[in-house]
Amino acid sequence: MMRYAKEGVGEAIVDIVGSINAIDVARGSAPTMLANYGHIPATLKTPREIYDAAMKVKSEVAGLGGREELYINGMVDAFAMYARTLEGDKIPYKEAIKVMQQVDLAPIPQSDYDTLAARIGEALGKLGYTGTVGDQVSAFLKNTAIEPDQVGNVAMQFLGKAKEATERLVVQLNPADGVDAVNTVRGMFWSGYSRYIDDFRGDLSFNIDRPWSLPTFGNILCHEGYPGHQAFYSHWDDLYRKGLLPLEGAYYSTAGNPANCMFEGSPDTGLHFLGWDDFDENTPEITDEEKRTFAIGRDILDLQRILQTQACYRYHVEGASHDEVVAFMLSTGIYNQVEAENSFRFFTDRVQQYYYPCYYYGHWMIHDWYEKVPKDKRSAFFRLLYDRPHTNETFVKETQELLAD
């Protein structure tokens, strides 16, 4: 078994994560521990016990040094902060996110939105769409819509292609890897969900309360499947069984922590890793028309994410109301009522409010560093990204070192 620290530390960390999960579930939330590769049982019963266990781990690794101490400290500091929220401590949102996700929340510059909107408008204009960017996006998504009863079929159409490209370009998966089912659901605030079953198998679910179109669905399918969540779940299970993943990081958790940006940012850049939005990349598994469609869809999702994240900031930091932030998300015409209300449910959920910023910040952290990586170092970058657990600090530090070599 691979370890970063002395015996007992890894077990204690996974116990902390599992115990947080048990409390979250007991209070009516969805599970926050999505994979437990070492199958370590949860034993801590209260938020105070979780906090004390985190502080004990921190003291036990003091002086360990290297990426091991940097990684462990980042994670246990976050779990201690999360335990404080479970205890009922009223911690300012920016302060909580700074510790939990190693992210400095700030308003997103309007220029980011304007630049992206102009690019979308230009691309859709070349395809014959007219009017405001909101008009163009609405018409484009309507013309490429997927009927709810066809979502599963479209998923299966591209899932095998995405897996083949993932194994060719990004990461080799265990031969037993696979997706057992693609489900459609209603009543959820999320759009897509990847569930890890065990033994390299998982299933995917898509929320058909919201409208789907091929441009956006292709990106989210890669996010949930390959080279996104299913690839990570399966690969980490394989690494752990081979003694190549430390027990201290042998789990996935959506409780607020500084691995969240990695957990969402890497899958959210997954379609880009495959080159499915880049005409400079050779992608024989998809057509040029599909590539053009996916590229525009990626920009639309990024534009929507700016609105979602700004709305989250305005609500939690600036004190805006439900009606104000929903109206803000609807104001540009690229977002419908169902999507806006689901986003509000997501970023105000008792648990998910401490997770939500990682989608935006994680996407751009991973995307921007990937863009700096020369093609001859992509394999090394993917090994760094897929083969070891990270906080934001360890990822940035080690990617900088990779590019400096």
Side-chain angles (χ1 to χ4, degrees):
M1 179 185 296
M2 182 180 178
R3 294 179 180 274
Y4 276 170
K6 66 183 182 180
E7 186 172 353
V9 170
E11 288 85 349
I13 292 172
V14 181
D15 186 2
I16 288 168
V17 177
S19 298
I20 286 172
N21 175 75
I23 292 175
D24 283 333
V25 170
R27 294 183 181 184
S29 298
T32 50
M33 190 181 207
L34 306 185
N36 179 356
Y37 300 113
H39 301 284
I40 304 296
T43 68
L44 308 171
K45 303 304 182 185
T46 68
R48 185 68 207 189
E49 288 181 10
I50 291 169
Y51 180 89
D52 290 344
M55 292 298 97
K56 182 179 179 182
V57 168
K58 190 174 177 68
S59 68
E60 290 181 340
V61 300
L64 182 64
R67 72 128 27 219
E68 294 82 2
E69 185 173 1
L70 187 63
Y71 171 78
I72 292 172
N73 275 341
M75 297 301 285
V76 297
D77 283 346
F79 291 134
M81 176 65 79
Y82 192 86
R84 288 180 59 192
T85 70
L86 291 175
E87 187 76 8
D89 288 1
K90 303 300 182 184
I91 302 162
Y93 190 69
K94 287 179 70 172
E95 179 184 337
I97 296 299
K98 173 64 176 176
V99 175
M100 288 184 189
Q101 294 194 19
Q102 298 178 345
V103 162
D104 290 307
L105 289 182
I108 301 168
Q110 181 65 35
S111 58
D112 288 6
Y113 181 94
D114 293 341
T115 298
L116 199 51
R119 189 164 78 207
I120 294 169
E122 180 180 2
L124 291 178
K126 291 178 179 178
L127 296 179
Y129 292 92
T130 59
T132 67
V133 173
D135 293 336
Q136 291 174 297
V137 168
S138 295
F140 177 62
L141 296 181
K142 183 178 180 180
N143 289 341
T144 54
I146 303 171
E147 293 300 319
D149 63 355
Q150 292 300 308
V151 167
N153 292 335
V154 175
M156 296 309 297
Q157 178 185 345
F158 287 99
L159 196 61
K161 296 177 181 180
K163 180 177 178 179
E164 185 279 327
T166 294
E167 294 205 274
R168 186 178 75 248
L169 299 171
V170 181
V171 62
Q172 284 293 312
L173 301 171
N174 186 284
D177 168 86
V179 172
D180 288 342
V182 176
N183 309 303
T184 54
V185 298
R186 293 186 181 275
M188 303 298 179
F189 51 63
W190 41 259
S191 295
Y193 187 81
S194 178
R195 181 175 71 105
Y196 191 60
I197 300 170
D198 207 353
D199 293 330
F200 318 110
R201 312 297 295 184
D203 58 33
L204 308 182
S205 297
F206 296 96
N207 181 3
I208 56 173
D209 282 340
R210 58 152 291 169
W212 286 104
S213 65
L214 187 60
T216 53
F217 187 71
N219 281 273
I220 293 175
L221 180 66
C222 288
H223 178 117
E224 303 298 344
Y226 305 100
H229 288 313
Q230 169 59 24
F232 269 97
Y233 285 139
S234 175
H235 184 56
W236 275 31
D237 198 347
D238 199 29
L239 290 174
Y240 181 76
R241 296 182 191 209
K242 292 175 178 176
L244 300 174
L245 184 74
L247 180 58
E248 291 83 357
Y251 59 86
Y252 269 117
S253 172
T254 55
N257 70 77
N260 292 161
C261 284
M262 310 297 301
F263 184 64
E264 295 297 346
S266 300
D268 216 46
T269 318
L271 183 136
H272 189 53
F273 290 164
L274 303 184
W276 282 15
D277 60 350
D278 187 346
F279 278 93
D280 291 330
E281 298 292 338
N282 180 34
T283 55
E285 63 276 359
I286 63 170
T287 67
D288 286 351
E289 181 59 30
E290 288 167 343
K291 178 174 289 191
R292 184 177 297 107
T293 297
F294 292 152
I296 297 172
R298 178 69 265 166
D299 283 346
I300 292 171
L301 287 170
D302 289 344
L303 201 64
Q304 290 177 336
R305 187 66 75 190
I306 288 175
L307 294 175
Q308 294 164 341
T309 309
Q310 287 282 62
C312 177
Y313 185 90
R314 291 184 179 191
Y315 181 83
H316 286 293
V317 179
E318 297 179 349
S321 68
H322 162 272
D323 290 350
E324 288 170 335
V325 298
V326 169
F328 168 73
M329 285 186 277
L330 295 174
S331 63
T332 63
I334 68 163
Y335 213 57
N336 68 35
Q337 187 78 35
V338 170
E339 292 170 309
E341 292 290 352
N342 280 348
S343 292
F344 181 82
R345 288 173 60 198
F346 204 150
F347 65 65
T348 58
D349 179 80
R350 181 186 62 80
V351 171
Q352 299 301 329
Q353 64 180 319
Y354 297 116
Y355 188 74
Y356 198 81
C358 73
Y359 288 97
Y360 173 83
Y361 288 95
H363 171 75
W364 289 111
M365 179 180 72
I366 301 296
H367 177 277
D368 288 353
W369 279 108
Y370 177 70
E371 288 299 285
K372 297 174 184 178
V373 175
K375 283 191 175 183
D376 64 354
K377 288 190 174 183
R378 281 185 182 173
S379 178
F381 175 81
F382 288 138
R383 298 287 58 73
L384 183 153
L385 189 61
Y386 279 78
D387 290 1
R388 64 180 72 175
H390 281 287
T391 64
N392 288 3
E393 288 180 342
T394 64
F395 170 75
V396 171
K397 178 177 182 293
E398 290 166 28
T399 304
Q400 288 174 333
E401 291 169 354
L402 171 68
L403 296 180
D405 287 344

